[in-house]
Coordinates of all heavy atoms in Angstrom, one line a residue:
M1 N -2.0 8.5 11.2 CA -2.5 7.5 10.2 C -3.7 6.7 10.9 O -3.7 6.5 12.1 CB -1.4 6.6 9.9 CG -0.3 7.2 9.0 SD 0.8 6.0 8.4 CE 2.2 7.1 8.2
K2 N -4.6 6.4 10.0 CA -5.8 5.7 10.5 C -5.5 4.2 10.9 O -4.5 3.6 10.5 CB -6.8 5.7 9.4 CG -7.5 7.0 9.2 CD -8.7 6.8 8.5 CE -9.6 8.0 8.8 NZ -10.9 7.8 8.3
K3 N -6.4 3.7 11.7 CA -6.3 2.3 12.1 C -6.4 1.3 10.9 O -6.0 0.2 11.1 CB -7.3 2.0 13.1 CG -8.8 2.1 12.7 CD -9.7 1.8 13.8 CE -11.2 1.9 13.3 NZ -12.1 1.7 14.3
E4 N -6.8 1.8 9.8 CA -6.9 0.9 8.6 C -5.5 0.5 8.1 O -5.3 -0.5 7.5 CB -7.5 1.6 7.4 CG -8.9 1.9 7.6 CD -9.5 2.7 6.3 OE1 -9.3 3.9 6.3 OE2 -9.9 2.0 5.4
L5 N -4.5 1.2 8.5 CA -3.1 0.9 8.1 C -2.5 -0.1 9.0 O -1.6 0.2 9.8 CB -2.3 2.2 8.0 CG -1.2 2.3 7.0 CD1 -1.6 1.8 5.6 CD2 -0.6 3.6 6.9
I6 N -3.0 -1.3 9.0 CA -2.7 -2.3 10.0 C -1.2 -2.7 9.9 O -0.5 -2.9 10.9 CB -3.6 -3.5 9.8 CG1 -5.0 -3.1 10.1 CG2 -3.1 -4.7 10.6 CD1 -6.0 -4.1 9.7
S7 N -0.7 -2.8 8.7 CA 0.7 -3.2 8.5 C 1.7 -2.2 9.1 O 2.8 -2.5 9.4 CB 1.1 -3.4 7.0 OG 0.8 -2.3 6.3
Y8 N 1.3 -0.9 9.3 CA 2.1 0.1 10.0 C 1.8 0.1 11.5 O 2.8 0.1 12.3 CB 1.8 1.5 9.4 CG 2.7 2.5 10.0 CD1 4.0 2.7 9.6 CD2 2.2 3.4 11.0 CE1 4.8 3.7 10.2 CE2 2.9 4.4 11.5 CZ 4.2 4.5 11.2 OH 5.0 5.5 11.7
K9 N 0.6 0.1 11.9 CA 0.2 0.2 13.3 C 0.5 -1.0 14.1 O 0.9 -0.9 15.2 CB -1.3 0.5 13.4 CG -1.7 1.9 12.9 CD -1.4 2.9 13.9 CE -2.0 4.3 13.5 NZ -1.6 5.3 14.4
N10 N 0.3 -2.2 13.5 CA 0.5 -3.4 14.2 C 1.3 -4.4 13.3 O 0.6 -5.4 12.7 CB -0.8 -4.0 14.7 CG -0.7 -5.1 15.6 OD1 0.4 -5.5 15.9 ND2 -1.8 -5.6 16.1
P11 N 2.6 -4.3 13.1 CA 3.3 -5.1 12.1 C 3.4 -6.6 12.4 O 3.8 -7.4 11.6 CB 4.7 -4.4 12.0 CG 4.8 -3.6 13.2 CD 3.4 -3.3 13.7
K12 N 3.0 -7.0 13.6 CA 3.1 -8.4 14.0 C 1.7 -9.1 14.0 O 1.6 -10.3 14.3 CB 3.7 -8.5 15.5 CG 5.0 -7.9 15.6 CD 6.1 -8.8 15.0 CE 7.5 -8.3 15.2 NZ 8.5 -8.8 14.4
S13 N 0.7 -8.4 13.6 CA -0.7 -8.9 13.6 C -0.8 -10.0 12.4 O 0.0 -10.0 11.5 CB -1.7 -7.8 13.4 OG -1.7 -7.4 12.0
P14 N -1.8 -10.9 12.6 CA -2.0 -11.8 11.5 C -2.3 -11.2 10.1 O -1.8 -11.7 9.1 CB -3.2 -12.6 12.0 CG -3.2 -12.5 13.5 CD -2.6 -11.1 13.7
I15 N -3.0 -10.1 10.1 CA -3.3 -9.4 8.8 C -2.0 -8.9 8.2 O -1.7 -9.0 7.0 CB -4.3 -8.3 9.0 CG1 -5.7 -8.9 9.4 CG2 -4.4 -7.5 7.7 CD1 -6.7 -8.0 9.7
S16 N -1.1 -8.3 9.1 CA 0.2 -7.8 8.6 C 1.0 -8.9 8.0 O 1.7 -8.8 7.0 CB 0.9 -7.1 9.7 OG 0.3 -5.9 10.1
E17 N 1.0 -10.1 8.7 CA 1.8 -11.2 8.2 C 1.2 -11.7 6.9 O 2.0 -12.1 6.0 CB 1.7 -12.4 9.2 CG 2.5 -12.0 10.5 CD 3.9 -11.8 10.3 OE1 4.6 -12.4 9.5 OE2 4.5 -10.9 11.0
T18 N -0.1 -11.6 6.7 CA -0.7 -11.9 5.4 C -0.2 -11.0 4.3 O 0.1 -11.5 3.2 CB -2.2 -11.9 5.5 OG1 -2.7 -12.8 6.5 CG2 -2.9 -12.2 4.1
F19 N -0.1 -9.7 4.6 CA 0.5 -8.8 3.6 C 2.0 -9.1 3.3 O 2.4 -8.9 2.2 CB 0.3 -7.3 4.0 CG -1.1 -6.8 3.7 CD1 -2.0 -6.6 4.7 CD2 -1.5 -6.5 2.4 CE1 -3.3 -6.2 4.4 CE2 -2.7 -6.1 2.1 CZ -3.7 -5.9 3.1
K20 N 2.7 -9.5 4.3 CA 4.1 -9.8 4.1 C 4.2 -11.1 3.2 O 5.1 -11.1 2.3 CB 4.8 -10.1 5.4 CG 5.0 -8.8 6.2 CD 5.6 -9.2 7.6 CE 5.6 -8.0 8.5 NZ 6.0 -8.3 9.9
T21 N 3.3 -12.0 3.4 CA 3.3 -13.2 2.5 C 2.9 -12.8 1.1 O 3.6 -13.3 0.1 CB 2.3 -14.2 3.1 OG1 2.6 -14.6 4.4 CG2 2.2 -15.5 2.2
L22 N 2.0 -11.9 0.9 CA 1.6 -11.4 -0.4 C 2.8 -10.7 -1.1 O 3.1 -11.0 -2.2 CB 0.4 -10.5 -0.3 CG -0.1 -9.9 -1.6 CD1 -0.4 -10.9 -2.6 CD2 -1.3 -8.9 -1.3
R23 N 3.5 -9.9 -0.3 CA 4.7 -9.2 -0.8 C 5.7 -10.2 -1.3 O 6.3 -10.1 -2.4 CB 5.3 -8.3 0.3 CG 6.5 -7.6 -0.2 CD 7.3 -7.0 1.0 NE 7.8 -8.1 1.8 CZ 8.1 -8.0 3.1 NH1 7.8 -6.9 3.8 NH2 8.6 -9.0 3.8
T24 N 6.0 -11.2 -0.5 CA 7.0 -12.2 -0.8 C 6.6 -13.0 -2.1 O 7.4 -13.2 -3.0 CB 7.2 -13.2 0.4 OG1 7.6 -12.4 1.5 CG2 8.2 -14.3 0.0
N25 N 5.3 -13.3 -2.2 CA 4.8 -14.0 -3.4 C 5.0 -13.2 -4.6 O 5.4 -13.7 -5.7 CB 3.4 -14.5 -3.2 CG 3.3 -15.6 -2.2 OD1 4.2 -16.4 -2.0 ND2 2.1 -15.8 -1.7
I26 N 4.7 -11.9 -4.5 CA 4.8 -11.0 -5.7 C 6.3 -10.9 -6.1 O 6.6 -10.9 -7.2 CB 4.2 -9.6 -5.3 CG1 2.7 -9.7 -5.2 CG2 4.7 -8.6 -6.4 CD1 2.1 -8.4 -4.7
Q27 N 7.2 -10.8 -5.1 CA 8.6 -10.7 -5.4 C 9.1 -12.0 -6.0 O 9.9 -11.9 -7.0 CB 9.4 -10.5 -4.1 CG 9.2 -9.1 -3.6 CD 9.9 -8.8 -2.2 OE1 9.7 -9.6 -1.3 NE2 10.6 -7.8 -2.1
F28 N 8.6 -13.2 -5.6 CA 9.1 -14.4 -6.2 C 8.5 -14.6 -7.6 O 9.1 -15.3 -8.4 CB 8.7 -15.6 -5.3 CG 9.7 -15.8 -4.2 CD1 9.3 -15.9 -2.9 CD2 11.1 -16.0 -4.5 CE1 10.2 -16.1 -1.9 CE2 12.0 -16.2 -3.5 CZ 11.6 -16.2 -2.2
M29 N 7.4 -14.0 -7.9 CA 6.8 -14.1 -9.3 C 7.7 -13.3 -10.3 O 7.6 -13.6 -11.4 CB 5.4 -13.5 -9.3 CG 4.4 -14.4 -8.6 SD 2.8 -13.7 -8.5 CE 2.5 -12.9 -10.0
N30 N 8.5 -12.4 -9.8 CA 9.2 -11.5 -10.7 C 10.7 -11.7 -10.4 O 11.5 -10.7 -10.4 CB 8.8 -10.1 -10.4 CG 7.4 -9.8 -10.8 OD1 7.2 -9.7 -12.0 ND2 6.5 -9.7 -9.9
T31 N 11.2 -12.9 -10.3 CA 12.6 -13.1 -10.0 C 13.5 -12.8 -11.2 O 14.7 -12.4 -11.1 CB 12.9 -14.5 -9.6 OG1 12.4 -15.5 -10.6 CG2 12.3 -14.8 -8.2
K32 N 13.0 -12.9 -12.5 CA 13.8 -12.7 -13.7 C 13.9 -11.3 -14.1 O 14.9 -10.9 -14.7 CB 13.3 -13.5 -14.8 CG 13.4 -15.0 -14.6 CD 12.9 -15.8 -15.7 CE 13.1 -17.3 -15.4 NZ 12.6 -18.2 -16.4
K33 N 13.0 -10.4 -13.7 CA 13.1 -9.0 -14.0 C 12.6 -8.2 -12.8 O 11.9 -8.6 -11.9 CB 12.2 -8.7 -15.2 CG 10.8 -9.1 -15.1 CD 10.1 -8.8 -16.4 CE 8.7 -9.4 -16.4 NZ 7.9 -9.0 -17.6
K34 N 13.1 -7.0 -12.7 CA 12.9 -6.1 -11.6 C 11.4 -5.6 -11.6 O 10.9 -5.1 -12.6 CB 13.8 -4.9 -11.7 CG 13.8 -4.0 -10.5 CD 14.8 -2.9 -10.6 CE 14.8 -2.0 -9.4 NZ 15.7 -0.9 -9.5
L35 N 10.8 -5.8 -10.5 CA 9.4 -5.4 -10.3 C 9.3 -3.8 -10.4 O 10.0 -3.2 -9.7 CB 8.8 -5.9 -9.0 CG 7.4 -5.5 -8.7 CD1 6.4 -6.1 -9.7 CD2 7.0 -5.9 -7.3
Q36 N 8.5 -3.3 -11.3 CA 8.4 -1.8 -11.4 C 7.1 -1.3 -11.0 O 7.0 -0.1 -10.5 CB 8.7 -1.4 -12.8 CG 10.2 -1.7 -13.2 CD 10.5 -1.1 -14.5 OE1 9.7 -0.7 -15.3 NE2 11.8 -1.1 -14.9
S37 N 6.0 -2.0 -11.2 CA 4.7 -1.5 -10.8 C 3.7 -2.6 -10.5 O 3.9 -3.7 -11.0 CB 4.1 -0.6 -11.9 OG 3.9 -1.3 -13.1
I38 N 2.8 -2.3 -9.6 CA 1.7 -3.2 -9.3 C 0.4 -2.4 -9.4 O 0.3 -1.3 -8.9 CB 1.8 -3.7 -7.8 CG1 3.1 -4.5 -7.7 CG2 0.6 -4.6 -7.5 CD1 3.4 -4.9 -6.3
L39 N -0.6 -3.0 -10.0 CA -1.9 -2.3 -10.1 C -2.9 -3.1 -9.3 O -3.0 -4.3 -9.4 CB -2.4 -2.3 -11.6 CG -3.8 -1.8 -11.8 CD1 -3.9 -0.3 -11.5 CD2 -4.2 -2.1 -13.3
I40 N -3.6 -2.4 -8.4 CA -4.7 -3.0 -7.6 C -6.0 -2.5 -8.1 O -6.2 -1.3 -8.2 CB -4.6 -2.6 -6.1 CG1 -3.2 -2.8 -5.5 CG2 -5.6 -3.3 -5.3 CD1 -2.7 -4.2 -5.4
T41 N -6.8 -3.4 -8.6 CA -8.1 -3.1 -9.2 C -9.2 -4.1 -8.8 O -8.9 -5.2 -8.3 CB -8.0 -2.9 -10.7 OG1 -9.2 -2.3 -11.2 CG2 -7.7 -4.2 -11.4
S42 N -10.4 -3.7 -9.1 CA -11.6 -4.7 -9.0 C -12.7 -4.2 -9.8 O -12.6 -3.1 -10.4 CB -12.0 -4.8 -7.5 OG -12.7 -3.7 -7.1
T43 N -13.8 -5.0 -9.8 CA -14.9 -4.6 -10.7 C -15.9 -3.7 -10.0 O -16.7 -3.1 -10.6 CB -15.6 -5.9 -11.2 OG1 -16.0 -6.7 -10.1 CG2 -14.7 -6.7 -12.1
M44 N -16.0 -3.8 -8.7 CA -17.0 -3.0 -7.9 C -16.4 -2.1 -6.9 O -15.3 -2.4 -6.3 CB -17.9 -4.1 -7.2 CG -18.6 -5.0 -8.1 SD -19.9 -4.3 -9.0 CE -21.0 -3.9 -7.7
P45 N -17.1 -1.0 -6.5 CA -16.6 -0.2 -5.4 C -16.8 -0.9 -4.1 O -17.6 -1.8 -4.0 CB -17.5 1.0 -5.5 CG -18.6 0.8 -6.5 CD -18.3 -0.5 -7.2
G46 N -15.9 -0.5 -3.1 CA -16.1 -1.1 -1.8 C -15.5 -2.4 -1.6 O -15.7 -3.1 -0.6
E47 N -14.7 -2.9 -2.5 CA -14.1 -4.2 -2.4 C -12.7 -4.2 -1.7 O -12.1 -5.3 -1.5 CB -13.9 -4.9 -3.8 CG -15.3 -5.3 -4.3 CD -15.2 -6.0 -5.6 OE1 -14.3 -5.8 -6.4 OE2 -16.1 -6.9 -5.9
G48 N -12.2 -3.1 -1.3 CA -11.0 -3.0 -0.5 C -9.7 -2.7 -1.3 O -8.6 -2.9 -0.8
K49 N -9.8 -2.1 -2.5 CA -8.7 -1.7 -3.3 C -7.8 -0.8 -2.5 O -6.5 -1.0 -2.5 CB -9.1 -1.1 -4.6 CG -9.9 -2.0 -5.5 CD -10.4 -1.3 -6.7 CE -11.4 -0.3 -6.4 NZ -12.7 -0.8 -6.0
S50 N -8.3 0.3 -2.0 CA -7.5 1.3 -1.3 C -6.8 0.7 -0.1 O -5.6 1.0 0.2 CB -8.4 2.5 -0.9 OG -8.9 3.1 -2.1
W51 N -7.5 -0.1 0.7 CA -7.0 -0.7 1.9 C -5.9 -1.6 1.5 O -4.8 -1.6 2.2 CB -8.1 -1.4 2.6 CG -7.7 -2.1 3.9 CD1 -7.4 -1.5 5.1 CD2 -7.5 -3.5 4.1 NE1 -7.1 -2.4 6.0 CE2 -7.2 -3.6 5.4 CE3 -7.7 -4.6 3.3 CZ2 -6.9 -4.9 6.0 CZ3 -7.4 -5.8 3.8 CH2 -7.0 -6.0 5.2
V52 N -6.1 -2.5 0.5 CA -5.0 -3.4 0.1 C -3.8 -2.7 -0.4 O -2.7 -3.0 0.0 CB -5.6 -4.4 -0.9 CG1 -4.4 -5.2 -1.6 CG2 -6.6 -5.4 -0.3
A53 N -4.0 -1.7 -1.3 CA -2.9 -0.9 -1.8 C -2.1 -0.2 -0.7 O -0.9 -0.3 -0.8 CB -3.5 0.1 -2.8
A54 N -2.8 0.4 0.2 CA -2.1 1.1 1.3 C -1.3 0.2 2.1 O -0.1 0.4 2.5 CB -3.1 1.9 2.2
N55 N -1.8 -1.0 2.5 CA -1.1 -1.9 3.4 C 0.0 -2.6 2.6 O 1.1 -2.9 3.2 CB -2.1 -2.9 4.0 CG -2.8 -2.3 5.2 OD1 -2.2 -2.1 6.3 ND2 -4.1 -1.9 5.0
L56 N -0.3 -3.0 1.4 CA 0.8 -3.6 0.6 C 2.0 -2.7 0.3 O 3.1 -3.1 0.5 CB 0.2 -4.1 -0.7 CG 1.1 -5.0 -1.6 CD1 1.6 -6.2 -0.8 CD2 0.4 -5.4 -2.9
A57 N 1.7 -1.4 0.0 CA 2.7 -0.4 -0.2 C 3.5 -0.2 1.1 O 4.8 -0.2 1.1 CB 2.1 0.9 -0.6
T58 N 2.9 -0.2 2.2 CA 3.6 0.0 3.5 C 4.5 -1.3 3.8 O 5.6 -1.1 4.3 CB 2.5 0.1 4.7 OG1 1.7 1.3 4.4 CG2 3.2 0.3 6.0
T59 N 4.0 -2.4 3.5 CA 4.8 -3.7 3.7 C 6.0 -3.7 2.8 O 7.1 -4.1 3.3 CB 3.9 -4.9 3.4 OG1 2.7 -4.8 4.2 CG2 4.6 -6.2 3.7
F60 N 5.9 -3.2 1.5 CA 7.1 -3.1 0.7 C 8.0 -2.1 1.2 O 9.3 -2.3 1.2 CB 6.7 -2.8 -0.8 CG 6.4 -3.9 -1.6 CD1 5.1 -4.4 -1.9 CD2 7.4 -4.6 -2.2 CE1 4.8 -5.5 -2.7 CE2 7.2 -5.7 -3.1 CZ 5.9 -6.2 -3.3
A61 N 7.5 -1.0 1.7 CA 8.4 0.1 2.3 C 9.1 -0.5 3.5 O 10.3 -0.2 3.7 CB 7.6 1.3 2.6
Q62 N 8.5 -1.2 4.4 CA 9.1 -1.8 5.6 C 10.2 -2.8 5.2 O 11.1 -3.0 6.0 CB 8.0 -2.5 6.4 CG 7.1 -1.5 7.1 CD 5.9 -2.2 7.7 OE1 5.5 -3.3 7.4 NE2 5.3 -1.6 8.7
A63 N 10.1 -3.3 4.0 CA 11.2 -4.2 3.5 C 12.3 -3.5 2.9 O 13.2 -4.1 2.3 CB 10.6 -5.3 2.6
G64 N 12.3 -2.2 2.9 CA 13.4 -1.4 2.4 C 13.2 -1.0 0.9 O 14.2 -0.5 0.3
K65 N 12.1 -1.3 0.3 CA 11.9 -1.0 -1.1 C 11.4 0.4 -1.3 O 10.8 1.0 -0.4 CB 10.8 -1.9 -1.7 CG 11.1 -3.4 -1.6 CD 12.3 -3.8 -2.4 CE 12.6 -5.3 -2.3 NZ 13.8 -5.6 -3.0
K66 N 11.8 1.0 -2.4 CA 11.3 2.4 -2.7 C 9.8 2.2 -3.2 O 9.6 1.4 -4.1 CB 12.1 3.0 -3.8 CG 13.5 3.4 -3.3 CD 14.3 4.1 -4.4 CE 15.7 4.4 -3.9 NZ 16.5 5.1 -4.9
V67 N 8.9 3.0 -2.6 CA 7.5 2.9 -2.9 C 6.9 4.2 -3.3 O 7.1 5.2 -2.5 CB 6.7 2.3 -1.8 CG1 5.2 2.2 -2.1 CG2 7.3 0.9 -1.4
I68 N 6.2 4.3 -4.3 CA 5.3 5.5 -4.6 C 3.9 4.9 -4.8 O 3.7 4.1 -5.6 CB 5.8 6.2 -5.9 CG1 7.2 6.8 -5.7 CG2 4.8 7.3 -6.2 CD1 7.7 7.4 -6.9
L69 N 3.0 5.4 -4.0 CA 1.6 5.0 -4.1 C 0.8 6.1 -4.8 O 0.8 7.2 -4.3 CB 1.1 4.7 -2.7 CG -0.4 4.3 -2.6 CD1 -0.7 3.1 -3.4 CD2 -0.8 4.1 -1.1
I70 N 0.2 5.7 -5.9 CA -0.6 6.7 -6.7 C -2.0 6.4 -6.5 O -2.5 5.3 -6.9 CB -0.1 6.7 -8.1 CG1 1.3 7.1 -8.2 CG2 -1.0 7.7 -8.9 CD1 1.9 7.0 -9.6
D71 N -2.8 7.3 -6.0 CA -4.3 7.1 -5.9 C -4.9 7.7 -7.1 O -5.0 8.9 -7.2 CB -4.8 7.8 -4.6 CG -6.2 7.4 -4.3 OD1 -6.9 6.9 -5.2 OD2 -6.7 7.7 -3.2
A72 N -5.3 6.9 -8.1 CA -5.8 7.4 -9.3 C -7.3 7.3 -9.4 O -7.9 7.5 -10.4 CB -5.2 6.6 -10.5
D73 N -8.0 7.1 -8.2 CA -9.4 7.2 -8.2 C -9.9 8.6 -8.1 O -9.8 9.3 -7.1 CB -9.9 6.4 -6.9 CG -11.4 6.3 -6.9 OD1 -12.1 7.1 -7.5 OD2 -11.9 5.3 -6.3
M74 N -10.3 9.1 -9.3 CA -10.7 10.6 -9.4 C -12.0 10.9 -8.7 O -12.3 12.1 -8.5 CB -10.6 11.0 -10.8 CG -9.3 10.7 -11.5 SD -7.9 11.4 -10.6 CE -7.8 13.0 -11.5
R75 N -12.8 9.9 -8.4 CA -14.1 10.2 -7.8 C -14.1 10.0 -6.3 O -14.6 10.9 -5.5 CB -15.2 9.3 -8.4 CG -15.6 9.8 -9.7 CD -16.7 9.0 -10.3 NE -16.0 8.2 -11.4 CZ -16.4 7.1 -11.9 NH1 -17.5 6.5 -11.5 NH2 -15.8 6.6 -12.9
K76 N -13.5 8.9 -5.8 CA -13.6 8.6 -4.4 C -12.2 8.1 -3.8 O -12.1 7.1 -3.2 CB -14.6 7.5 -4.1 CG -16.1 8.0 -4.3 CD -17.0 6.9 -3.9 CE -18.5 7.4 -4.0 NZ -19.4 6.4 -3.5
G77 N -11.2 8.9 -4.2 CA -9.9 8.5 -3.7 C -9.8 8.5 -2.2 O -10.4 9.4 -1.5
R78 N -9.1 7.6 -1.6 CA -9.1 7.5 -0.1 C -7.7 7.5 0.5 O -7.5 7.5 1.7 CB -9.8 6.2 0.3 CG -11.3 6.2 0.1 CD -12.0 5.1 0.7 NE -11.2 4.1 1.2 CZ -10.9 3.7 2.5 NH1 -11.4 4.1 3.4 NH2 -10.1 2.9 2.9
Q79 N -6.7 7.4 -0.3 CA -5.3 7.3 0.2 C -5.0 8.5 1.1 O -4.4 8.3 2.2 CB -4.3 7.1 -0.9 CG -4.4 5.9 -1.7 CD -4.3 4.6 -0.8 OE1 -3.7 4.6 0.2 NE2 -5.0 3.5 -1.3
H80 N -5.5 9.7 0.8 CA -5.2 10.8 1.6 C -5.8 10.6 3.0 O -5.2 11.0 4.0 CB -5.8 12.1 1.0 CG -7.3 12.2 1.0 ND1 -8.1 11.5 0.1 CD2 -8.2 12.8 1.9 CE1 -9.4 11.7 0.4 NE2 -9.4 12.5 1.4
S81 N -7.0 10.0 3.1 CA -7.6 9.7 4.4 C -6.9 8.7 5.2 O -6.6 8.8 6.4 CB -9.1 9.3 4.1 OG -9.7 8.9 5.3
I82 N -6.5 7.6 4.5 CA -5.7 6.5 5.2 C -4.4 7.0 5.7 O -4.0 6.6 6.8 CB -5.5 5.3 4.2 CG1 -6.9 4.7 3.8 CG2 -4.6 4.3 4.8 CD1 -6.8 3.7 2.7
F83 N -3.7 7.8 5.0 CA -2.4 8.3 5.4 C -2.4 9.7 6.1 O -1.4 10.3 6.4 CB -1.4 8.4 4.2 CG -1.0 7.0 3.8 CD1 -1.6 6.4 2.7 CD2 0.1 6.4 4.4 CE1 -1.2 5.1 2.3 CE2 0.5 5.2 4.0 CZ -0.1 4.5 3.0
S84 N -3.7 10.2 6.3 CA -3.9 11.5 7.0 C -3.1 12.6 6.4 O -2.3 13.3 7.1 CB -3.5 11.3 8.5 OG -4.3 10.4 9.1
V85 N -3.2 12.8 5.1 CA -2.6 13.9 4.4 C -3.7 14.7 3.8 O -4.9 14.2 3.6 CB -1.6 13.5 3.4 CG1 -0.4 12.8 4.1 CG2 -2.2 12.6 2.3
E86 N -3.4 16.0 3.4 CA -4.4 16.8 2.8 C -4.9 16.3 1.5 O -4.1 15.8 0.7 CB -3.8 18.2 2.6 CG -4.7 19.3 2.0 CD -4.0 20.6 1.8 OE1 -2.9 20.7 2.2 OE2 -4.7 21.5 1.2
S87 N -6.2 16.4 1.3 CA -6.8 16.0 0.0 C -6.8 17.1 -1.0 O -7.1 18.2 -0.6 CB -8.3 15.5 0.2 OG -8.9 15.3 -1.0
K88 N -6.4 16.8 -2.2 CA -6.4 17.8 -3.3 C -7.0 17.2 -4.5 O -6.7 16.0 -4.8 CB -4.9 18.3 -3.5 CG -4.3 19.0 -2.4 CD -2.9 19.5 -2.7 CE -2.3 20.2 -1.5 NZ -1.0 20.7 -1.7
P89 N -7.7 17.9 -5.3 CA -8.4 17.4 -6.5 C -7.4 17.1 -7.6 O -7.4 17.9 -8.6 CB -9.4 18.4 -6.8 CG -8.9 19.7 -6.3 CD -8.1 19.3 -5.1
R90 N -6.6 16.1 -7.5 CA -5.6 15.8 -8.5 C -5.0 14.4 -8.1 O -5.4 13.9 -7.1 CB -4.5 16.8 -8.6 CG -3.8 16.9 -7.3 CD -2.7 17.9 -7.2 NE -2.3 17.8 -5.9 CZ -1.1 18.2 -5.4 NH1 -0.2 18.6 -6.2 NH2 -0.8 18.0 -4.2
L91 N -4.2 13.9 -8.9 CA -3.5 12.7 -8.5 C -2.5 13.0 -7.4 O -1.9 14.1 -7.4 CB -2.6 12.1 -9.7 CG -3.4 11.5 -10.8 CD1 -2.5 11.1 -12.0 CD2 -4.2 10.3 -10.4
I92 N -2.5 12.2 -6.4 CA -1.7 12.4 -5.2 C -0.6 11.4 -5.2 O -0.8 10.2 -5.3 CB -2.5 12.3 -3.9 CG1 -3.6 13.4 -3.9 CG2 -1.6 12.4 -2.7 CD1 -4.6 13.3 -2.8
K93 N 0.7 11.8 -5.0 CA 1.8 10.9 -5.0 C 2.3 10.9 -3.5 O 2.6 11.9 -2.9 CB 2.9 11.4 -5.9 CG 4.2 10.5 -5.8 CD 5.2 11.1 -6.8 CE 6.2 11.9 -6.1 NZ 7.3 12.3 -6.9
L94 N 2.4 9.7 -2.9 CA 2.8 9.5 -1.6 C 4.1 8.7 -1.6 O 4.1 7.6 -2.1 CB 1.8 8.8 -0.7 CG 0.5 9.5 -0.5 CD1 -0.5 8.6 0.2 CD2 0.7 10.8 0.3
S95 N 5.2 9.1 -1.0 CA 6.3 8.3 -0.8 C 6.3 7.8 0.6 O 6.0 8.5 1.5 CB 7.6 9.1 -1.0 OG 7.7 9.6 -2.3
I96 N 6.5 6.5 0.7 CA 6.3 5.8 2.0 C 7.6 5.2 2.5 O 8.3 4.6 1.7 CB 5.2 4.7 1.9 CG1 3.9 5.2 1.4 CG2 5.0 4.0 3.3 CD1 3.0 4.2 0.9
R97 N 7.9 5.5 3.7 CA 9.2 5.0 4.3 C 8.8 4.0 5.4 O 7.9 4.2 6.1 CB 10.0 6.1 4.9 CG 10.6 7.0 3.8 CD 11.7 7.9 4.4 NE 12.2 8.7 3.4 CZ 12.3 10.0 3.4 NH1 11.8 10.6 4.4 NH2 12.8 10.6 2.4
G98 N 9.6 2.9 5.4 CA 9.4 1.9 6.5 C 9.8 2.4 7.9 O 10.5 3.4 8.0
R99 N 9.3 1.8 8.9 CA 9.7 2.1 10.3 C 11.1 1.7 10.5 O 11.6 0.6 10.1 CB 8.8 1.3 11.2 CG 7.7 2.0 11.8 CD 7.1 1.2 12.9 NE 5.9 1.8 13.3 CZ 5.1 1.3 14.2 NH1 5.3 0.1 14.7 NH2 4.0 1.9 14.5
K100 N 11.8 2.5 11.2 CA 13.2 2.1 11.6 C 13.1 1.2 12.9 O 12.3 1.5 13.8 CB 14.0 3.4 11.9 CG 14.2 4.2 10.7 CD 15.3 5.2 10.9 CE 15.5 6.0 9.6 NZ 16.7 6.6 9.5
K101 N 13.9 0.2 12.9 CA 13.8 -0.8 14.0 C 14.9 -0.5 15.0 O 15.8 0.1 14.8 CB 14.0 -2.2 13.4 CG 12.9 -2.6 12.5 CD 13.1 -4.0 12.0 CE 12.0 -4.3 11.1 NZ 12.1 -5.6 10.5

């Protein structure tokens, strides 16, 4: 996995802690119903959507949540690169498991 996956490579770093805070805030926003999906989007390319999605998904997986990360960017998908898996010209489904302590 690439160094971009900070929440996996260095789970105690300040950036990883920020993703944990974001995860917690998302969970508290949905206390009345079960969270089923999160969409990460922006208006411009290069704003960090793939990086945020990968690190947030990893943080949820580390908390024991079931996670499926779908890279739906049909032109410049990057999840295959971040997670070091083979790139294929289609939607790619990645199941992410948290680290065992």
